[in-house]
Amino acid sequence: MIFAYLFTTILLTTTALAVPRRISSRPRADNRRSAPVRRIENVGLSELASNISHVQYSTNWAGAVWNSPANTYTKVVGTFTVPTPSAPDGSASAWVGIDGDTCNSAILQTGVDFYYQGGAISYDSWYEWFPDYAHNFDGISFNAGDVVRLTVAAISTTSGTAIIENLTNGQTVSKDLSYPQYPLCEQDAEWIVEDFDSNGSQVPFTNFGTVTFTDAVATKSDGSSVSPNGANVLDIAQNGTILTTVTETAGGVTIQYI
């Protein structure tokens, strides 16, 4: 009996260690959420990005961000191919959103998380109206190479919709949101890869490879639209090291781990 008990205990422990931690699958327990951009000074870093005059640095966001007066942006869309993350162990997230930069009191966003843990790879999808926590979508799955379209639309400053479409397997999920207590400014539009937060601190940042947002459009309240090309560029730098490089094109933006 003692031998059987020990064998079972070892088996269960080994199995538990083999399962990658999926932070956003337990958003309330683990307090997984995005955060407004955390900009840092360019001291000692600017020469590495001299080819982009409008590059800035943060510890958590990489991508393209438009800043405009309040009540400008009502919808942001972007399509990307799910990457294959690799060492180091950790997580990263690709999302589109409204606000969180010059307006840091609220963010309407949706995206896909990538996890790499000891060779095991997994993905989660979520929606969030910051400062509330992220919540998982059910009924959609992802594999590396899937083509995914992300959409957030603000119906008003206090209500909106988040949509994720896996164009490869045909699955679609959406969520209508209402947060009267956290009004949007509608002044920032973003296409981002993020080192997100869990339990009050940033998770270890994995090598996500490359995320390219195509068919990327931000719709304005006057009916016009704009692509990421020409927007402010953000790269992630941590502990004095630049971890990403961003390139804008006519119809999108590419974020690469370096």
Side-chain angles (χ1 to χ4, degrees), residues 87-224:
D89 288 358
S91 310
S93 185
W95 55 265
V96 301
I98 297 173
D99 291 337
D101 185 6
T102 57
C103 176
N104 56 27
S105 57
I107 317 171
L108 169 58
Q109 56 193 148
T110 194
V112 177
D113 290 344
F114 324 128
Y115 299 89
Y116 181 90
Q117 184 70 39
I121 296 171
S122 59
Y123 305 98
D124 284 322
S125 60
W126 52 274
Y127 59 90
E128 182 175 357
W129 191 301
F130 178 89
D132 190 15
Y133 296 102
H135 298 267
N136 261 24
F137 275 119
D138 294 322
I140 191 168
S141 60
F142 306 94
N143 290 300
D146 286 355
V147 178
V148 176
R149 181 162 57 212
L150 308 175
T151 303
V152 291
I155 299 169
S156 70
T157 58
T158 59
S159 64
T161 302
I163 305 169
I164 299 182
E165 303 165 85
N166 188 327
L167 302 180
T168 299
N169 65 21
Q171 296 173 337
T172 298
V173 289
S174 64
K175 181 68 176 181
D176 294 329
L177 303 168
S178 179
Y179 284 84
Q181 69 275 39
Y182 306 131
L184 297 168
C185 303
E186 298 182 340
Q187 65 190 43
D188 306 320
E190 301 114 358
W191 300 264
I192 298 294
V193 169
E194 182 181 11
D195 182 3
F196 59 84
D197 286 7
S198 179
N199 291 322
S201 61
Q202 286 177 249
V203 298
F205 195 43
T206 194
N207 180 350
F208 59 86
T210 300
V211 169
T212 298
F213 288 103
T214 60
D215 299 323
V217 174
T219 302
K220 299 182 178 181
S221 55
D222 63 3
S224 64

Side-chain angles (χ1 to χ4, degrees), residues 36-57:
V37 64
R38 298 176 177 129
R39 277 191 171 78
I40 57 177
E41 296 297 326
N42 295 0
V43 176
L45 301 174
S46 59
E47 69 278 4
L48 299 179
S50 58
N51 61 319
I52 302 177
S53 61
H54 48 289
V55 69
Q56 301 173 43
Y57 297 94

